[in-house]
């Protein structure tokens, strides 16, 4: 199957992609009704992010974790979400605030726990609070409130 994004073509295995993503399984199932269709256009996707997503899915190392997470969540691909979480835990040098934000936004529970465990001091608490506190997920905010109260 050929996926087309903004005129750029991506050659993929329908079987593998369907196995990894319920979104693609449903999409390809619908496309099979048009039996002669070998190309499918995807909208609302950045082609570079899709390239990173496919790279991760097929065993490579992506570069833009945030872009990959957007697509992995959009296309419901647990394997890619897990690989991104592993990267963020083991190799990423992103600041703690950004990691905690990504963990909350994409349901990366292991990363969230690790980030929250690293918050020990008042300075740590201040460093992870976003400018707009309403954007933080409720679970993280509750844990930070508990840590704040423990310091009083």
């Amino acid at each position: 199957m050929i996926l087309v994004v903004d005129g750029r073509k991506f050659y993929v295995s329908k079987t593998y992609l369907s196995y990894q993503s319920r979104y693609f399984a449903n999409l390809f199932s619908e496309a099979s009704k048009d039996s002669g269709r070998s190309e499918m256009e995807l909208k609302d996707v950045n082609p570079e992010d899709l390239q990173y997503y496919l790279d991760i899915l097929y065993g490579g190392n992506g570069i833009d974790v945030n872009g990959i997470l957007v697509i992995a969540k959009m296309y419901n691909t647990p394997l890619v979400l897990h690989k991104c979480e592993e990267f963020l835990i083991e190799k990423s040098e992103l600041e703690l605030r950004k990691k905690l934000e990504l963990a909350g936004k994409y349901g990366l529970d292991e990363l969230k726990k690790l980030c929250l465990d690293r918050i020990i001091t008042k300075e740590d608490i201040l460093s992870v609070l976003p400018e707009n506190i309403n954007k933080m997920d409720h679970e993280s905010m509750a844990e930070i409130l508990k840590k704040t109260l423990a310091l009083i």
Side-chain angles (χ1 to χ4, degrees), residues 69 81 84-85 88 102-104 106-113:
L69 285 167
L81 287 169
C84 286
E85 184 175 36
L88 288 165
L102 292 172
Y106 297 105
L108 308 175
D109 294 334
E110 191 176 330
L111 176 62
K112 183 189 294 186
K113 182 183 179 331

Side-chain angles (χ1 to χ4, degrees), residues 38-90:
S38 64
E39 285 191 8
M40 185 168 288
E41 186 172 358
L42 299 178
K43 303 213 183 274
D44 300 325
V45 177
N46 178 316
E48 289 178 4
D49 290 342
L50 182 65
Q51 178 63 55
Y52 296 142
Y53 165 84
L54 292 171
D55 186 41
I56 289 288
L57 191 61
Y58 286 97
N61 295 315
I63 297 170
D64 179 7
V65 175
N66 191 43
I68 295 168
L69 285 167
V70 168
I71 293 176
K73 183 158 182 134
M74 180 187 315
Y75 294 149
N76 192 9
T77 317
L79 175 67
V80 175
L81 287 169
H82 179 71
K83 285 186 175 187
C84 286
E85 184 175 36
E86 282 181 345
F87 172 80
L88 288 165
I89 290 170
E90 297 170 7

